Amino acid sequence: MRIVDWAGAAEGGPAVVLLDQRALPQAEVHLLLNTVDGVVDAVRSLAVRGAPSLGITGAFGVALAAHLHGTTTPDARAAVRADAERIATARPTAVPLSLGARRALAALDGGPAAVLAEARAVAAEAARINAAATGRAADLVAERCPDRPLRALTVCNTGPLAAGPGGTALGAILRLHERGALAEVLACETRPLLQGARLTVWELDRAGVPHRLCVDSAGPAAIAQGLVDVVFAGADRIAANGDVANKIGTYMLACAAARSGIPFVVVAPEETVDPGTPTGAEIVVEERGADEVREHGGTLQTLPGTPVYNPAFDVTPHDLVTAIVTETRAWSPAPSPSAPRTAAAPR
Ligand code: MRU
């Protein structure tokens, strides 16, 4: 499946090709983006989303800028740098977006072909990283919960659409399914943009994994009723102390998992761990537009102009996280003695 890719001249490029995730699951539409404005708009509007897929898009976006401006004059290189900054900051929370853009930009002196080669390397590495992280996560959970085929709960979408080949948290679930160790997945719908209902269900269905869809508020209730053995989540940014920013709705699942004594497992690339962010309190959580909450399918669901609070992510404190699993390690962030067992303080 072509999710984030490069198109050369033979395909109407130079361009970034994206599977438009806004159209799923009703239609599989590919976008051919041959302007940097188009790439920035695709990122902001969630035509492409999920932290690692944003990183790959960021890298290909900078390759596009290098092809459009060229790299031979100081002015051209300055224009590429300015475009790279716009791409890197199109959404604030996911670490890989800026890392992917900056990594491609670092190859600027080698010319457009070198920038593209670096972007292709970012894309290729995702498959290796995801294979290592999901295998480790599946092993860890199988070891902790050996008694029965697992009933897993997840939120948002963390499969190949979000992360490249293999996926991350959903990838670990798929690995358990391949091993015959999975009974069912409960997928939270993920209001307001329904990444769970539209994308996770689509990926589970294609993989033949037994699943049920639930409203987000049913997730903690299902955990409390003993219907869930393990919660899997991805991450957009992990603070140095192990606090995890992920899709809004993740924190309540971690609270419920801790109260019921089931594992809450985060699967993400190591690059998501940001040493420059000491705790979750320093994580910038993106706030999105009011109409995403006021409307459903383009139809107003509340009073016009109703003021809205629409954070795209929440922060789960590290003491609620059983393990953070990356391609290099499985990390159980130990609670620090001074850390209150509450959400991160408001910024
Ligand atoms: O707003 P989105 O859809 O980009 O949010 C995505 C998530 O929160 C994912 O869980 C996270 O990026 C990890 S993707 C493997």
Side-chain angles (χ1 to χ4, degrees), residues 72-98:
T72 47
T73 68
D75 281 355
R77 289 195 291 279
V80 177
R81 281 193 202 94
D83 278 347
E85 188 58 22
R86 285 201 298 136
I87 293 167
T89 55
R91 294 185 72 191
T93 307
V95 181
L97 174 62
S98 58

Side-chain angles (χ1 to χ4, degrees), residues 113-136:
V115 180
L116 178 57
E118 196 61 33
R120 288 195 195 282
V122 171
E125 279 170 27
R128 181 186 57 75
I129 288 169
N130 293 345
T134 57
R136 180 174 283 113

Side-chain angles (χ1 to χ4, degrees), residues 46 81 140 176 190 205 211 215 228:
L46 275 56
R81 281 193 202 94
L140 180 140
L176 289 166
T190 318
D205 183 66
H211 59 276
V215 298
V228 178

